[in-house]
Amino acid sequence: KSLHRADNRGKSTSVRCSVFSEAENANLEGSSCIKEEQFVRFFRETWPYFRAHRDGTFVVIISGESVDSPYLDPILMDISLLHGLGIKFVLVPGTHVQIDKLLAERGTEPKYVGRYRITDSDSLQAAMDAAGRIRIMIEAKLSPGPSLCNIRRHGDNSRWHDVGVSVASGNFLAAKRRGVVEGIDYGATGEVKKIDVARIRERLDKDYIVILSNLGYSSSGEVLNCNTYEVATACALALEAEKLICIVDGPILDECGRLIRFLTLQDADTLIRKRAKQSEIAANYVQAVGEEDLNCIAHSDSNGSVLSQLNGNGFSDNYAAKFQNGVGFESGNALWSGEQGFAIGGQERLSRLNGYLSELAAAAFVCRGGVQRVHLLDGTIGGVLLLELFQRDGVGTMVASDLYEGTRMARVTDIPGIKQIVQPLEESGALVRRTDEELLKALDSFVVVEREGQIIACAALFPFFKEKCGEVAAIAVSPECRGQGQGDKLLDYMEKKASSMGLEMLFLLTTRTADWFVRRGFSECSIKCIPEEKRKKINLSRGSKYYMKKLQPDMSGIVIDRVA
């Protein structure tokens, strides 16, 4: 009996284990399926970003605080990953933290006046030591390349055993002494004279990551200690980089402690100017860009809202990059640092009394010069570069010079321009014909894009608040401006405007342009999905197709009403 009970217990235990194992397997399989679905969805969602960023040139400032932190390793790992996806990087590492530490170890106090360090012989030696150590450390951290342990099942490949990333550095920065300013001798402190664009481009095109030191070289063979931000901003302008990315040691917050996700150039400029009396760096920004150039950035409608940037560039001719022929200034245009880059630093930045206003001023400066996007990122966030570059809303602060440039609500005086754009499309049957009276009645729903006094694109948004949806209609772009992304810009503007109105869906009727809208997230639907009020007005003889799109929650921080 004892043996029988033991046998029964064994069977019972065996059955229980079998049941538990099946349930556990089911949970594991379910979890695995969810992970696989998430993985596939992630790759599909990031595909547009891969295409958008590939072959782009990004200048990245890694602040001295970030260089001196445990966060540097994951930052460089992600830079290596992004480089493998085809992004061209110029890294400008900060050195001031390391210089100050070396001086303290050697019994010397660092000296700053305004934005600049006074570089005596001890400081210059510390600057050279710090720059060399940081360069070697970054080269070492970029060398391993990706892990091989999980990819061997795909077969052997000689490329696996190559050095992770090829890195290039050199005497790409020509500098001049800052000299004696207001009776203060800055010693071996330098100012940017020119960036050797041709040689940097040559390295980037050969698939190198370029490390640009803040140490410049004079025409007489001296080593000069330049301001990191002045070097980086000058480099971004000279290379005509798609992005300047500043990795700092904290987030950019508003007065309520909330993350500032987005600022137009106009918004950033206004914010900096308001602080000019409290901040020397803000005052330097105002002095550098001038009051008169502010009028060229944007103009206002009767409500004072910002409407457009000058000529669609977001900067005036006075502040286009001054670097010519890929090597520096053109002959006879020997302008110095105020026209090339923007220096920030000194005690104001070190104390953070004005938060990250210094970095914001540098961002606005390069946006004025033609760099379309500047990202200010908190380097303490794991994977911050990936989260910022491969998500719609990102996790940092973006300053943009050209977003929705020239986009505004239509006025009565715009009717001739709107008719000129839509008339050919009406004649081809792509758009519904509207009489002058119908257009005037619907004018409050129309948005236009204006460039140099001409209407180049238009669209309309008709809200149906009861159903929490809106109709997108009459999207039209003038023939000479097609292929420049104006239609995408208008649709994106309409989506954000709809979200700001509390709408959750967009719908449209089309006969000729279904493919364009499907590629932008719209799906075909039945006429029953259209609000009843709209269905009563549809001309069924046109045979239109119906499409809808669910709007995603907008966390970008872009406020449409300020531009509308």
Side-chain angles (χ1 to χ4, degrees):
K1 289 182 180 178
S2 176
L3 286 172
H4 179 69
R5 283 197 300 269
D7 187 50
N8 283 343
R9 279 199 301 271
K11 288 180 180 178
S12 173
T13 303
S14 175
V15 170
R16 282 199 303 270
C17 288
S18 175
V19 170
F20 178 75
S21 177
E22 288 174 7
E24 188 178 54
N25 286 339
N27 289 335
L28 287 173
E29 288 175 7
S31 175
S32 177
C33 288
I34 292 172
K35 287 177 68 175
E36 288 172 357
E37 288 174 4
Q38 290 174 339
F39 181 81
V40 171
R41 186 171 68 249
F42 161 77
F43 253 82
R44 288 173 177 167
E45 288 176 352
T46 54
W47 177 35
Y49 299 99
F50 291 149
R51 297 189 64 184
H53 297 325
R54 187 185 301 138
D55 294 326
T57 300
F58 297 178
V59 176
V60 181
I61 302 172
I62 307 176
S63 70
E65 293 85 0
S66 298
V67 169
D68 196 50
S69 75
Y71 305 107
L72 180 64
D73 283 19
I75 290 169
L76 292 176
M77 183 185 300
D78 290 343
I79 286 172
S80 179
L81 184 159
L82 294 170
H83 174 261
L85 295 175
I87 298 174
K88 300 175 181 179
F89 282 102
V90 178
L91 307 184
V92 188
T95 58
H96 73 274
V97 172
Q98 293 75 12
I99 294 172
D100 288 352
K101 281 187 175 181
L102 288 173
L103 289 175
E105 291 171 4
R106 298 167 186 177
T108 305
E109 286 287 328
K111 299 173 188 150
Y112 294 94
V113 175
R115 298 174 287 172
Y116 293 93
R117 181 190 298 275
I118 294 179
T119 308
D120 55 21
S121 59
D122 291 336
S123 299
L124 181 60
Q125 185 61 53
M128 290 191 291
D129 291 346
R133 290 181 186 182
I134 290 169
R135 177 181 60 78
I136 292 169
M137 176 177 64
I138 291 175
E139 289 176 354
K141 291 180 184 298
L142 289 173
S143 293
S147 171
L148 303 180
C149 59
N150 295 324
I151 61 174
R152 294 193 181 279
R153 65 184 292 265
H154 296 286
D156 196 16
N157 191 315
S158 61
R159 288 177 298 174
W160 295 354
H161 309 290
D162 293 344
V163 173
V165 174
S166 297
V167 180
S169 58
N171 57 340
F172 303 132
L173 172 62
K176 62 175 280 288
R177 278 182 175 265
R178 180 163 171 77
V180 179
V181 180
E182 296 181 356
I184 297 171
D185 186 353
Y186 284 84
T189 296
E191 293 180 345
V192 175
K193 186 176 179 181
K194 70 177 181 181
I195 304 288
D196 195 335
V197 173
R199 288 202 297 144
I200 291 177
R201 278 284 175 209
E202 181 185 359
R203 269 65 170 184
L204 294 175
D205 291 341
K206 290 181 178 178
D207 206 30
Y208 286 84
I209 287 179
V210 172
I211 299 177
L212 183 60
S213 168
N214 67 306
L215 294 180
Y217 306 94
S218 74
S219 56
S220 60
E222 292 180 292
V223 179
L224 299 175
N225 179 36
C226 299
N227 180 279
T228 299
Y229 275 81
E230 185 177 325
V231 172
T233 52
C235 180
L237 292 171
L239 289 173
E240 298 179 349
E242 279 77 13
K243 293 181 184 292
L244 173 67
I245 299 174
C246 305
I247 300 177
V248 293
D249 59 338
I252 316 299
L253 306 176
D254 64 15
E255 64 275 6
C256 299
R258 297 170 300 196
L259 176 68
I260 300 175
R261 290 186 177 272
F262 175 80
L263 287 170
T264 64
L265 174 55
Q266 175 74 12
D267 290 338
D269 184 279
T270 301
L271 191 154
I272 296 162
R273 288 175 185 274
K274 285 181 179 178
R275 303 288 291 276
K277 290 184 179 179
Q278 292 81 35
S279 164
E280 182 181 358
I281 290 174
N284 287 326
Y285 167 86
V286 173
Q287 183 180 9
V289 302
E291 290 286 349
E292 70 284 351
D293 195 56
L294 178 63
N295 298 324
C296 298
I297 294 180
H299 62 275
S300 299
D301 63 6
S302 57
N303 295 322
S305 59
V306 180
L307 301 180
S308 69
Q309 274 84 36
L310 175 70
N311 298 328
N313 294 324
F315 60 95
S316 73
D317 292 339
N318 294 332
Y319 286 93
K322 297 289 193 294
F323 300 85
Q324 306 294 329
N325 303 320
V327 293
F329 295 125
E330 62 182 341
S331 178
N333 190 18
L335 302 172
W336 301 119
S337 62
E339 298 289 327
Q340 302 175 47
F342 190 76
I344 69 172
Q347 291 300 330
E348 179 182 333
R349 182 181 179 280
L350 291 173
S351 67
R352 288 295 183 205
L353 290 175
N354 289 298
Y356 291 89
L357 187 69
S358 301
E359 285 78 4
L360 190 58
F365 185 88
V366 295
C367 272
R368 282 174 167 278
V371 176
Q372 293 184 353
R373 301 285 188 275
V374 181
H375 301 259
L376 306 176
L377 306 183
D378 179 1
T380 67
I381 297 174
V384 66
L385 279 166
L386 305 180
L387 293 169
E388 177 71 9
L389 296 175
F390 292 91
Q391 293 188 124
R392 186 188 65 171
D393 299 327
V395 295
T397 300
M398 182 172 77
V399 180
S401 63
D402 68 339
L403 197 70
Y404 307 134
E405 53 89 11
T407 307
R408 58 173 175 79
M409 298 305 294
R411 311 184 188 113
V412 174
T413 53
D414 298 324
I415 289 179
I418 295 173
K419 288 181 62 179
Q420 186 176 1
I421 295 173
V422 302
Q423 187 174 356
L425 297 173
E426 290 176 349
E427 291 173 353
S428 70
L431 293 181
V432 175
R433 288 186 182 274
R434 285 184 170 85
T435 65
D436 289 357
E437 291 76 15
E438 288 172 332
L439 184 56
L440 181 62
K441 185 177 179 181
L443 194 64
D444 288 345
S445 298
F446 269 80
V447 170
V448 298
V449 179
E450 181 182 15
R451 179 182 291 171
E452 297 180 354
Q454 301 294 318
I455 303 302
I456 64 169
C458 69
L461 174 64
F462 300 102
F464 294 82
F465 291 107
K466 182 180 177 181
E467 293 85 357
K468 291 188 176 181
C469 65
E471 179 188 7
V472 176
I475 292 185
V477 180
S478 63
E480 64 272 16
C481 295
R482 290 173 190 163
Q484 300 175 8
Q486 295 294 339
D488 282 300
K489 182 171 68 175
L490 268 174
L491 181 59
D492 189 57
Y493 182 95
M494 288 301 190
E495 290 180 6
K496 286 187 167 55
K497 187 171 182 62
S499 292
S500 72
M501 298 166 73
L503 306 182
E504 298 176 356
M505 302 281 289
L506 287 180
F507 71 89
L508 58 90
L509 286 66
T510 183
T511 56
R512 305 279 299 277
T513 57
D515 290 347
W516 191 88
F517 287 103
V518 168
R519 193 178 176 195
R520 285 147 182 85
F522 283 81
S523 301
E524 189 171 0
C525 64
S526 73
I527 192 172
K528 295 179 181 179
C529 298
I530 307 301
E532 184 178 357
E533 182 184 345
K534 173 64 182 178
R535 290 204 302 266
K536 294 176 181 177
K537 301 176 182 178
I538 294 175
N539 179 3
L540 297 177
S541 66
R542 279 178 55 82
S544 298
K545 302 289 186 181
Y546 312 104
Y547 289 83
M548 296 199 80
K549 179 179 182 178
K550 182 176 176 59
L551 296 174
Q552 298 298 317
D554 185 14
M555 301 294 291
S556 67
I558 301 171
V559 182
I560 287 297
D561 288 342
R562 290 213 301 260
V563 204

